[in-house]
């Protein structure tokens, strides 16, 4: 029967006196394996068995006489069946075991579990005649039952050991369709009656039940009947849905029940014995190995019925028990009592390797070409290497060795590991776990469909393998030293020239075993799902394929058909060293583009975990390659540590070992030279031999494993591991002078290590990256990488280490030389390269107190910064941008140096100045230092600085940038500087467009030309600059070509010009805001003055007219009141007569009249018609019909501001703080406008006195905060005194003219009148 799909198989023995088995065998095959078995134990939860194969063997076919060794021998095909070991198994894998005819005479082993006995015994009965049954068959059945009575049915006193081999029995009555044919065997002469009816068959079945079933109600029915029909004889082996059941369901059901019953008895007995033996652990003479075989019998029983999880648990408990016993015996020094001190195979390998001339050395010497190292998981033919058969539990009789206490600890652990892996592979649904126990190092294992495999369990296999292989190194070393010790005690060891050679040989053997074992694990856990994921990634790290050599082609013939073939991912050839590969062939598979390389289909569950564990095994193999290469002098050119030495350590340092030897910076002892490749001792693996043979082989192997591990880590989403491997690939490419590829790797790696705060590795990456860019003549990228490297070196200066040499450079890094290279490279660029200022300069601050020039407008201040580069830097320009705080327009002022500055190492003080004046409070937003085309920038607007790769710098520099942004600067003009004032026009005519008035005072400036730029800052405001006119002054408007600007001529010093600009409003606005930019030239230098102001455009007065018509005149009563509750004064007022009307009203007395919110002024005018001139024209008549009321008024708040400003300015000009007059007057007017209430204004209007208040009430402290402390103290004392002694009386001030147009109530006469 074909049962290769599973090793869950139990033995069922049958006896066939009638020779009926060949007829029913096909029907049995169609009803097997047993499915959906449910084992319910009293001590365990319910267990379900999906399928259970039956191995049917005929009793007495094989001779029962066997030697002791044969009885104990384990069959290969059972792979875990309990009690395996009775008979030798044919190489075909089919197991046919015979039972003894007499169980009582069979010799049983003293250790339970070493026998393979049937779970069920069947008696096939063919009989349709009741008389024949009584005379012949009943006697046969009784004799069979007597000889094979199971322990559960026996009434005799039984040995409890028999329960380990418990079985059940069943009588199967087979009814054939035609009893006329004689079915006989050579030993059977009885013929069936040809006329047996169905009734006769039923009678026989009932008689059998009556004879052999128990009389109790709970007795088990041990008789089953199956009927073979004629139509079903020709049915092929495949299951036929139309085949009649004919008793098969009953037979299968009873078979399952009886098999589970036998299994339950066996498990119960095993558990009782294990419990009893475990309780005897502390009794002298207790042997773990005997206990191991007993407990393993239970695990193998579970495995035989498909309860793999329970079997795995048993082996794990045994592994822990072994570890505990080893630790105890190590402490007591009694290991030799139960374990052998060394492994025979390892000892033989070591002795052979220490011979003077081994076949391996001779073969290595004869090599002249480099073979392909890896073929996607395949190695060269290394079937003789020990580690390749790590999963083969049949390579030696492990259980016999365990019982005989002749097994080494290494072999013991290998056996347990192999059994655990075998069970895990079964759980993972790998098609045939028995294949893994066969010794085949070069063959590949066929797996089931990928979607039916449990990849998580395969990942668990790889994880356990990685841990086991890593922990086996010490065991193998101790094992090998123990094997050679008896030979070398007091005698010279043959072929052992020195202790160093002996240790290297041990390391070689260990490397071969670990390498081949890791390769074997990779083979058995390889799946098509993972392979499909790796294909696109490996293509992106693999150059063009080469034509394989004959040796390569032969080795690749063993490759799996379902996996892609590829050559070494990164081969090394001389032509590649001179002609670097294109960067397109080596894209970074850890970049965001890596996701696009993966297949679009969703990953099967566990693919990522399996890929990650495969990567660990590949890295283990790479570490072995590196160790072998290091011992044979091949490791000096690989790894990022060799490309860039520790940047924090000087190369001239030496390490002094405790044994007195001196080591250089790389840790290589001066008195230990690398081994010669001609003296390879223990390298049985062909691939490792190649590694020791040449640098080319080593480089190819190292890069190939790195590329494979990199691709696996990408699939497994282990980004950090992938980045580390990318660094190794980049280092290899750099050594091969493939600078383009190496640069593409190093760029992303520097960013990765920066984000993870791995400064030393980042500096190393940046240095090699910059060297690549220099070789490629990529100036822009070189400048960016060089600046980033300098920044990290400066940042690393705070560590307790020196800045060490990097790669080819010797000694500490020359920062000055590096900086000069970057500056020189940038000078040949067209674009500017930006760098964070605070990465190169520290303690950056701007003096918040400005200083005015003595003979020109503008101001200057000082910028303080510390050059951290410890070398001088020539800065062609230094600029600082400050931005307004309290303005809607956020005015900007740029301060810059006049000439180049030499920034020495350490603190520097730089004067920056500007010709722009825009009074107000500012904060620092931007600082720029330019050297060639390198621009060091600090931008406080984002409250962070960034490195060259766009990542924010969250460190002390970030805090400095934030503090710099908090620096506030107060800007104001001095007394003699140019001044621009903005106000509403002093004359308002309601019948004409209103205008604003701009007054420009030149101060000390002799202006050659100027331009006035007006900007409306209010929505709906339109400034009509085309209608602007000079109101006062001698300077004409030279041009109005551009909208919003006026070009003016020359100005004399200390002159003033007034310009009126009409405006219009698209909506009813209470306030308008206008921004004025006056650009003027003095002595060939251009200056800029900015002034912004908000104006209240609402009329302060309300005029209401009440007309009283009389027969000859019109009396108009004008009531004039305040519009905004601010008291006002009316000076002159009049209404002139026209040619059409004669007006008479009371004349002004010259004294101003007070107007309060509830006390308006009343004016009465008498209007009479005049006699018309008959010669008047119609146009003159229209103009003479308009009456104009003119009022000259002044608002009290404006009067108070003027009076107070005059009271402050006069004495201040005579003090030592006269340069602050414009700052204080501006602040004073703002304070007064907001401090006085309506009640205060009415009180001042009535009392004609202005209370000055105190220094604190006016808030001078906040205003004077922008002055230097010494200057602030002087002006503060002066203002305190001024507030205490001055009480001012109000007086008349300049007024404004308001012109109204009252309308007459009757129309003027026409010319015809």
């Amino acid at each position: 029967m074909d049962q290769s799909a599973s090793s869950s198989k139990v033995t069922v023995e049958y006896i066939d006196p009638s020779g009926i088995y060949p007829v029913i065998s096909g029907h049995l095959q169609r009803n097997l394996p047993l499915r959906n078995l449910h084992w319910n134990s009293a001590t365990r939860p319910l267990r379900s068995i999906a399928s259970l194969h039956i191995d049917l063997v005929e009793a007495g076919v094989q001779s029962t006489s066997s030697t002791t060794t044969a009885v104990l021998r384990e069959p290969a095909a059972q792979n875990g069946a309990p009690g395996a070991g009775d008979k030798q198994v044919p190489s075909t894998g089919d197991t046919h075991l015979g039972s003894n005819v007499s169980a009582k005479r069979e010799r049983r082993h003293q250790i339970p579990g070493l026998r393979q006995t049937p779970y069920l015994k069947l008696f096939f009965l063919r009989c349709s005649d009741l008389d024949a049954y009584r005379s012949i068959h009943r006697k046969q059945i009784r004799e069979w039952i007597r000889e094979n009575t199971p322990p559960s049915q026996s009434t005799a006193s039984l040995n409890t050991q028999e329960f380990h081999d418990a079985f059940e029995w069943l009588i199967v009555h087979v009814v054939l369709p035609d009893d006329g044919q004689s079915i006989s065997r050579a030993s059977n002469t009885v013929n069936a009656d040809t006329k047996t009816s169905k009734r006769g068959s039923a009678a026989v079945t009932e008689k059998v039940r009556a004879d052999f079933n128990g009389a109790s109600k709970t007795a088990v029915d041990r008789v089953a009947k199956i009927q073979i029909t004629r139509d079903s004889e020709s049915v092929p082996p495949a299951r036929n849905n139309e085949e009649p059941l004919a008793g098969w369901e009953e037979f299968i059901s009873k078979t399952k029940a009886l098999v589970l019953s036998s299994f339950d008895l066996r498990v119960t007995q095993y558990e009782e014995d294990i419990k009893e033996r475990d309780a005897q652990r502390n009794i002298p003479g207790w042997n773990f190995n005997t206990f191991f075989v007993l407990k393993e019998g239970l695990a193998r029983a579970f495995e035989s019925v498909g309860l793999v999880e329970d079997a795995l648990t048993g082996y794990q408990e045994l592994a822990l028990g072994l570890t505990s016993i080893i630790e105890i015996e190590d402490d007591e020094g009694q290991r030799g009592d139960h374990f052998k001190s060394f492994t025979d195979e390892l000892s033989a390998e070591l002795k052979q390797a220490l011979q003077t001339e081994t076949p391996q050395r001779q073969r290595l010497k004869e090599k002249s070409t480099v073979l392909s190292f890896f073929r996607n998981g395949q190695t060269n033919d290394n079937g003789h290497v020990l580690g390749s058969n790590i999963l083969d539990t049949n390579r030696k009789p492990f259980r016999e060795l365990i019982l005989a206490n002749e097994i080494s600890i290494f072999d013991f652990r290998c056996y347990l590991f192999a059994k655990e892996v075998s069970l895990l592979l079964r759980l993972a649904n790998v098609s045939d776990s028995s294949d893994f126990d066969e010794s085949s190092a070069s063959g590949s294992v066929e797996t089931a469909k990928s979607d039916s495999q449990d990849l998580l369990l395969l990942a668990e296999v790889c994880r356990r393998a990685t841990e086991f292989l890593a922990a086996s190194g010490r065991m193998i070393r101790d094992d090998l030293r123990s094997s050679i010790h008896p030979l070398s005690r007091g005698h010279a060891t043959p072929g052992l020239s020195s202790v160093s050679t002996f240790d290297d040989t041990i390391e070689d053997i260990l490397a071969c075993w670990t390498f081949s074992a890791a390769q074997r694990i990779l083979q058995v856990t390889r799946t098509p799902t993972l392979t499909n994921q790796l294909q696109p990634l490996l293509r992106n790290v693999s150059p063009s394929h080469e034509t394989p050599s004959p040796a390569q082609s032969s080795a690749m013939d063993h490759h799996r058909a379902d996996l892609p073939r590829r050559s070494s991912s990164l081969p090394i050839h001389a032509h590649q060293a001179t002609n670097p590969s294109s960067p397109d062939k080596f894209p970074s598979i850890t970049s965001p583009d890596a996701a696009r390389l993966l297949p679009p289909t969703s990953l099967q569950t566990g693919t990522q975990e399996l890929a990650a564990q495969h990567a660990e095994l590949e890295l283990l193999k790479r570490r072995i390659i590196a160790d072998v290469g290091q011992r044979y002098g091949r490791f000096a050119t690989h790894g990022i540590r060799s490309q860039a030495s520790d940047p924090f350590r000087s190369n001239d340092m030496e390490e002094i070992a405790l044994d007195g030897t001196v080591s250089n910076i790389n840790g290589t002892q001066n008195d230990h030279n690398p081994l010669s490749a001609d003296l390879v001792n223990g390298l049985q693996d062909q691939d490792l031999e190649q590694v020791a043979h040449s640098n080319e082989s080593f480089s190819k192997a190292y890069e190939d494993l790195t590329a494979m591990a990199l691709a696996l880590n990408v699939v497994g989403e282990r980004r950090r591991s992938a980045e580390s491997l990318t660094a190794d690939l980049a280092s290899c490419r750099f050594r091969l002078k493939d600078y383009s590829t190496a640069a593409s790797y190093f760029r992303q790696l520097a960013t990765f290590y920066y984000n993870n705060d791995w400064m030393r590795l980042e500096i190393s990456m940046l240095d090699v990256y910059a060297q690549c860019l220099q070789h490629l003549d990529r100036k822009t990228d070189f400048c960016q990488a060089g600046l980033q490297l300098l920044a990290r070196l400066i940042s690393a200066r705070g560590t307790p280490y020196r800045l060490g040499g990097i790669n080819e450079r010797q000694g500490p890094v020359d920062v000055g030389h590096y900086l000069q290279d970057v500056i020189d490279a940038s000078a040949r660029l067209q674009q500017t390269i930006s760098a964070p200022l605070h990465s190169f300069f520290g303690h950056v601050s701007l003096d918040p107190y400005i200083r005015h020039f003595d003979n020109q407008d503008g101001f200057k201040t000082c910028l303080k910064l510390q050059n951290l580069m410890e070398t001088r830097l020539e800065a062609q320009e230094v600029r600082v941008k400050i931005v307004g705080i309290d303005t809607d327009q956020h005015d900007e002022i740029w301060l810059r140096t006049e000439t180049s500055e030499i920034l020495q190492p350490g603190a520097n003080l730089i004067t920056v100045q500007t010709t722009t004046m825009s009074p107000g409070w500012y904060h620092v937003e931007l600082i720029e230092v330019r050297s060639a085309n390198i621009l060091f920038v600090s931008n406080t607007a984002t409250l962070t600085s960034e490195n060259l790769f766009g990542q924010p710098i969250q460190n002390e520099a970030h805090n400095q940038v934030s503090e710099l942004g908090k620096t506030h600067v107060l800007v104001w003009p001095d007394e003699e500087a140019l001044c621009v004032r903005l106000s509403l026009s002093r004359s308002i005519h309601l019948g004409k467009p209103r205008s604003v008035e701009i007054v420009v005072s030149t101060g000390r400036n002799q202006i050659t030309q100027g331009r006035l730029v007006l900007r409306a800052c209010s929505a709906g405001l339109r400034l009509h600059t085309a209608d602007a006119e000079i109101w006062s002054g001698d300077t004409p408007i030279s041009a109005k070509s551009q909208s919003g600007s006026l070009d003016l001529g020359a100005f004399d010093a200390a002159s003033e010009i007034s310009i009126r600009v009409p405006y219009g409003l698209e909506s009813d606005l209470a306030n308008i805001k206008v921004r004025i930019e006056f650009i003027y030239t003095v002595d060939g230098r251009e200056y800029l003055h900015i002034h912004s102001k908000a104006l209240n455009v609402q009329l302060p007065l309300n005029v209401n007219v009440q007309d009283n018509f009389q027969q000859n005149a019109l009396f108009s009563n004008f009531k004039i009141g305040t519009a905004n509750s601010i008291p006002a004064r009316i000076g002159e007022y009049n209404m002139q007569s026209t040619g059409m009307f004669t007006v008479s009203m009371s004349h002004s007395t010259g004294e101003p009249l007070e107007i309060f919110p509830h006390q308006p002024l009343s004016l009465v005018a008498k209007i009479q018609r005049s006699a018309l001139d008959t010669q008047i024209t119609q146009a003159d008549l229209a103009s003479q019909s308009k009456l104009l009321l003119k009022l000259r008024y002044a608002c009290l708040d404006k009067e108070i501001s003027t009076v107070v400003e005059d009271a402050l300015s006069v004495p201040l000009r005579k003090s030592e703080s006269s340069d602050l007059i414009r700052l204080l007057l501006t602040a004073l007017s703002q304070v007064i406008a907001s401090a006085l209430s309506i009640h205060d204004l009415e009180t001042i209007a009535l009392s004609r006195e202005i209370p000055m208040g105190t220094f604190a009430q006016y808030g001078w402290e906040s205003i004077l905060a922008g002055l230097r402390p010494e200057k602030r103290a002087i002006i503060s004392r002066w203002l305190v005194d001024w507030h205490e002694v001055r009480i001012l009386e109000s007086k008349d001030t300049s007024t404004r003219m308001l012109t109204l147009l009252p309308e007459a109530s009757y129309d003027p006469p026409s010319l015809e009148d």
Side-chain angles (χ1 to χ4, degrees), residues 124-232:
F124 289 120
L125 171 64
R126 180 202 174 191
C127 181
S128 299
D129 180 64
L130 191 58
D131 294 335
Y133 163 73
R134 290 171 178 170
S135 61
I136 302 175
H137 298 290
R138 181 164 56 183
K139 181 179 179 181
Q140 293 177 342
I141 296 173
R142 283 177 177 173
E143 183 179 355
W144 175 72
I145 293 176
R146 183 172 59 254
E147 294 178 353
N148 297 280
T149 300
S152 60
Q153 302 297 323
S154 176
T155 60
S157 178
L158 299 173
N159 189 344
T160 56
Q161 180 180 343
E162 295 183 359
F163 285 100
H164 292 286
D165 299 328
F167 64 90
E168 297 287 351
W169 56 272
L170 180 66
I171 301 172
V172 183
H173 184 199
V174 181
V175 179
L176 296 180
D178 187 359
D179 291 333
Q181 298 178 357
S182 177
I183 303 176
S184 65
R185 293 169 55 93
S187 60
N188 184 17
T189 60
V190 180
N191 294 328
D193 190 358
T194 58
K195 297 183 179 180
T196 303
S197 62
K198 293 183 179 180
R199 180 177 179 181
S201 299
V204 171
T205 303
E206 294 299 326
K207 184 60 177 175
V208 173
R209 285 194 175 100
D211 291 341
F212 298 103
N213 282 341
S216 131
K217 294 182 179 180
T218 60
V220 179
D221 186 4
R222 299 181 180 277
V223 179
K225 177 183 177 181
I226 56 177
Q227 184 174 353
I228 306 300
T229 63
R230 184 179 301 276
D231 295 337
S232 63

Side-chain angles (χ1 to χ4, degrees), residues 872-1125:
R872 61 191 299 272
L873 174 68
E874 181 181 1
Q876 283 76 34
E877 185 182 33
V878 179
R879 299 198 308 167
V880 179
K881 184 174 76 170
I882 57 177
V883 179
I885 299 175
D886 53 358
T887 60
D888 297 336
Q889 299 298 319
H890 296 288
D891 295 333
E892 299 179 358
I893 298 179
W894 281 95
L895 297 94
R896 53 176 53 85
T897 55
E898 290 291 303
T899 59
S900 298
E901 295 284 342
I902 303 298
L903 304 181
Q904 300 294 340
N908 292 268
L909 188 64
I910 304 172
T911 300
V912 289
Q913 61 186 22
T914 181
T915 57
T916 300
M917 175 57 64
S918 178
W921 281 99
Y922 290 80
H923 71 89
V924 180
E925 182 181 88
L926 192 66
I927 298 178
E928 295 180 352
V929 177
R930 180 184 294 275
S931 179
N933 281 326
I934 303 297
L935 186 64
F936 302 97
V937 181
S938 176
N939 192 342
T940 64
T942 58
L943 294 181
T944 183
S945 55
E946 295 181 349
N947 66 4
L948 297 179
F949 298 110
Q951 289 77 28
I953 300 177
Q954 301 291 341
N955 52 18
E956 183 178 348
H958 175 273
N959 299 331
Q960 293 184 16
V961 174
S962 179
E963 290 298 326
L964 182 61
K966 298 177 182 178
T967 302
H968 290 178
V969 180
L970 178 61
V971 177
W972 81 96
D974 62 347
E975 182 183 10
E976 297 182 0
L978 181 136
C979 178
V980 176
R981 298 188 299 274
L982 175 67
S983 63
L984 292 175
S985 175
R986 305 184 66 84
S987 177
I988 302 175
H989 195 296
L990 297 184
K992 297 180 180 179
R994 302 176 65 178
S995 59
V996 294
E997 186 173 342
I998 302 171
V999 178
V1000 179
S1001 299
T1002 60
R1004 59 169 170 258
N1005 299 290
Q1006 186 70 32
I1007 300 175
T1008 56
Q1009 63 179 0
R1011 170 177 291 182
L1012 194 65
V1013 179
L1014 305 179
R1015 304 183 187 278
C1017 301
S1018 299
L1021 174 62
R1022 297 293 180 264
L1023 297 173
H1024 305 298
T1025 54
D1027 299 330
E1029 57 181 352
I1030 301 296
W1031 191 252
S1032 66
D1034 299 332
T1035 302
I1037 299 176
S1038 59
K1040 303 178 183 178
S1041 57
Q1042 296 183 3
S1043 176
S1045 65
L1046 301 173
D1047 293 335
L1048 305 176
F1051 292 77
D1052 292 333
S1055 62
E1056 186 175 278
I1057 182 175
S1058 177
I1059 304 174
R1060 289 189 176 180
V1061 179
Y1063 71 88
L1065 297 175
E1066 297 180 354
S1067 59
D1068 189 12
L1069 298 177
N1071 297 281
I1072 63 172
K1073 187 173 183 179
V1074 180
R1075 173 186 171 91
I1076 302 173
E1077 297 179 3
F1078 185 61
I1079 306 170
Y1080 57 102
T1081 304
V1082 178
D1083 297 333
R1085 188 170 189 177
E1086 191 174 83
Y1087 295 81
L1088 173 63
H1089 186 97
I1090 301 175
H1091 178 72
S1092 299
K1093 188 175 182 180
L1095 302 175
N1096 189 343
V1097 296
Q1098 288 183 328
L1099 292 177
L1101 301 178
N1102 284 332
V1103 180
N1104 295 321
V1105 182
Q1106 184 178 2
D1107 295 329
N1108 185 7
F1109 292 92
Q1110 299 295 328
Q1111 184 175 1
N1112 298 323
L1114 171 65
F1115 293 89
S1116 296
N1117 184 10
F1118 295 92
K1119 289 186 177 182
I1120 303 172
T1122 60
N1124 50 14
S1125 300

Side-chain angles (χ1 to χ4, degrees), residues 399-457:
R399 306 187 73 210
E400 291 88 327
L401 294 175
I402 293 173
L403 282 176
N405 296 335
E406 290 294 329
I407 189 170
S408 66
I409 293 178
F410 175 68
D411 269 348
F412 211 144
R413 290 193 180 277
C414 287
Y415 174 70
L416 284 173
F417 172 74
K419 295 300 295 184
E420 291 181 14
V421 170
S422 175
L423 295 174
L424 286 171
L425 291 174
R426 285 188 57 188
L427 289 174
N429 199 25
V430 177
S431 61
D432 192 356
S433 61
S434 64
D435 291 344
F436 303 125
D437 292 338
E438 297 177 0
S439 178
S440 177
S442 61
S444 61
V445 180
E446 296 297 333
T447 60
K449 293 184 179 179
S450 59
D451 55 356
S452 64
Q453 295 176 347
D454 191 335
L455 303 189
L456 290 175
L457 289 176

